[in-house]
Amino acid sequence: MYGSDTIPDDPDRTAFRKTEKKYKLYYDSTSKKKKLPRPVDLSEVIDFRSVSESFERTGDIRSGVSKVENRFDKPVFGLDDCPGFYFIPAALSIEEQCRWIKESLVSFPQPPNRTNHNAVYGGIHDLFNAAKNEQVLVKEDSVADDATFYNYKWASSEELDSSVNGDNRKPVSASVLLRRLRWSTLGLQFDWSKRSYNVSLPHNKIPDALCQLAKKMAAPAMAVGEEFQPEAAIVNYFGPGDMLGGHLDDMEADWSKPIVSMSLGCKAIFLLGGKSRNDEPLAMFLRSGDIVLMSGEARERYHGVPRIFTDTEHAEIGCLEKQLSDEDDICYLEYIKTSRININIRQVF
């Protein structure tokens, strides 16, 4: 699903894959001293912030986009050719953005919530704090009922000795594990191997504040008298060069209910295609604080994120940099300056 490898030319690739390749991060091979991103033409990318500003200023709106009448206190836009898709520019305040960046790094990866690291290390506690304190993860042997099993614990570099890793397995720094964090799950846990929800897995409930925020943001996509019920969330973490390949979110029982998708951190390109990978997708910018809703027909469309922008010119995180400038927040700023976090919240049943 994630990847940053070079893709060879292939005239038979699908329309969605061709568009992914168009916007994906590639480096200019002609530069020998410094890796420079290859220039990309962004002229066809829909910019809903500009759409919103233009509409507020003149009442005009670009072709194919419409303003959605809603019971919401912010402008909401839709696409004429995609019922069930809603875009809410700058839906989150800067304070809300910072809150959920911190929660995504500190609280959401905590066991019993699962992350991509579970398959190798089991549940890892306090990953972000360990990275901040420059700790390493080491393996220690435990014996019970004549069987040997392994536990992992955090240690400082001074605490390492030859007895900790008897099998010569090298300790892994917390900062490396943090950069390799790709997803965590809240509420009902998603079993990636079976592509289904496993209600038997232990989990922490989605925080009440996040539930209330999701209910509020979901309102434009809900029928009158209905309320969104947040039951599960997947948090995706993107670093430089990472992408989320074209896919469908089709594991929930009722597709009429929206997925509430919150963007945090560096700007990204989002692709919204059709019901087949052969349908050419639309590209649009996602900035920190933007929210996308996908319900009904939009749930049947392929979508993905081929690119995040981490360079100073395109990342557009100046407000976050100011808000996270205090000494206690520098650790969050250092992470988010080259990262994007996406929280997508779902009603499962």
Side-chain angles (χ1 to χ4, degrees):
M1 187 174 291
Y2 290 90
S4 55
D5 295 332
T6 300
I7 301 174
D9 288 331
D10 181 356
D12 296 324
R13 71 176 69 251
T14 64
F16 198 100
R17 202 76 175 96
K18 288 179 180 178
T19 308
E20 283 181 325
K21 181 182 177 183
K22 175 180 177 179
Y23 293 113
K24 192 173 180 291
L25 174 64
Y26 294 100
Y27 289 101
D28 190 345
S29 59
T30 61
S31 176
K32 297 181 179 180
K33 293 184 178 180
K34 184 179 180 181
K35 291 176 68 176
L36 298 175
R38 189 183 302 173
V40 58
D41 180 5
L42 302 174
S43 61
E44 296 180 355
V45 182
I46 300 174
D47 187 339
F48 277 101
R49 175 180 292 181
S50 295
V51 169
S52 180
E53 291 173 351
S54 175
F55 182 82
E56 292 296 322
R57 187 171 58 252
T58 67
D60 295 332
I61 198 164
R62 66 173 286 163
S63 175
V65 175
S66 56
K67 187 174 185 296
V68 178
E69 297 298 326
N70 64 89
R71 311 177 303 280
F72 201 56
D73 59 358
K74 294 181 180 293
V76 180
F77 298 95
L79 297 173
D80 296 343
D81 294 335
C82 186
F85 177 85
Y86 304 87
F87 196 111
I88 313 174
L92 302 178
S93 68
I94 190 65
E95 292 79 13
E96 289 174 315
Q97 294 172 49
C98 291
R99 173 180 182 175
W100 298 116
I101 287 170
K102 294 177 181 180
E103 292 283 357
S104 296
L105 293 172
V106 176
S107 302
F108 295 167
Q110 288 283 78
N113 294 342
R114 298 172 66 82
T115 76
N116 57 293
H117 289 317
N118 275 72
V120 176
Y121 303 105
I124 300 178
H125 291 267
D126 302 321
L127 174 58
F128 187 78
N129 288 331
K132 184 170 63 173
N133 295 324
E134 300 183 345
Q135 292 180 302
V136 295
L137 191 68
V138 296
K139 185 171 74 172
E140 56 181 1
D141 298 347
S142 299
V143 178
D145 298 328
D146 296 325
T148 301
F149 60 96
Y150 302 108
N151 287 322
Y152 291 89
K153 70 174 185 178
W154 295 117
S156 65
S157 57
E158 291 79 10
E159 293 173 319
L160 292 177
D161 58 49
S162 59
S163 64
V164 174
N165 283 316
D167 63 346
N168 294 322
R169 179 164 183 166
K170 292 182 178 180
V172 184
S173 73
S175 60
V176 168
L177 290 172
L178 181 62
R179 274 301 169 193
R180 292 177 180 170
L181 182 65
R182 289 293 175 264
W183 55 262
S184 62
T185 48
L186 312 178
L188 294 177
Q189 298 291 287
F190 190 77
D191 187 332
W192 293 86
S193 63
K194 298 178 180 178
R195 282 188 52 78
S196 63
Y197 289 95
N198 187 339
V199 296
S200 66
L201 290 174
H203 59 271
N204 293 327
K205 290 184 177 180
I206 300 175
D208 287 342
L210 185 57
C211 284
Q212 294 306 314
L213 178 62
K215 289 179 179 181
K216 175 185 175 182
M217 296 298 170
M222 299 295 294
V224 176
E226 289 190 353
E227 185 177 68
F228 182 66
Q229 300 299 323
E231 295 171 318
I234 299 175
V235 186
N236 293 312
Y237 305 84
F238 298 81
D242 285 341
M243 60 177 290
L244 183 63
H247 65 284
L248 298 175
D249 290 314
D250 54 1
M251 291 298 104
E252 291 74 39
D254 185 356
W255 291 6
S256 70
K257 302 301 186 293
I259 290 177
V260 181
S261 180
M262 301 165 46
S263 288
L264 303 166
C266 293
K267 186 174 71 175
I269 291 179
F270 177 75
L271 298 182
L272 179 66
K275 297 180 182 181
S276 165
R277 294 181 191 271
N278 291 316
D279 297 325
E280 185 173 355
L282 289 173
M284 60 197 77
F285 289 123
L286 284 173
R287 293 180 175 87
S288 193
D290 290 344
I291 283 185
V292 165
L293 309 176
M294 295 182 68
S295 63
E297 184 180 321
R299 291 288 299 269
E300 303 176 45
R301 298 197 175 212
Y302 282 91
H303 56 280
V305 178
R307 177 76 174 265
I308 72 164
F309 296 93
T310 58
D311 58 289
T312 304
E313 180 182 358
H314 295 103
E316 297 189 31
I317 57 168
C319 292
L320 287 174
E321 290 179 315
K322 292 179 181 178
Q323 192 72 17
L324 295 172
S325 61
D326 291 344
E327 183 177 353
D328 291 342
D329 292 334
I330 290 298
C331 53
Y332 302 105
L333 177 59
E334 287 303 311
Y335 178 90
I336 209 64
K337 277 165 61 176
T338 58
S339 305
R340 174 179 180 261
I341 297 172
N342 169 244
I343 306 173
N344 53 87
I345 306 155
R346 299 131 184 272
Q347 180 171 326
V348 177
F349 300 113

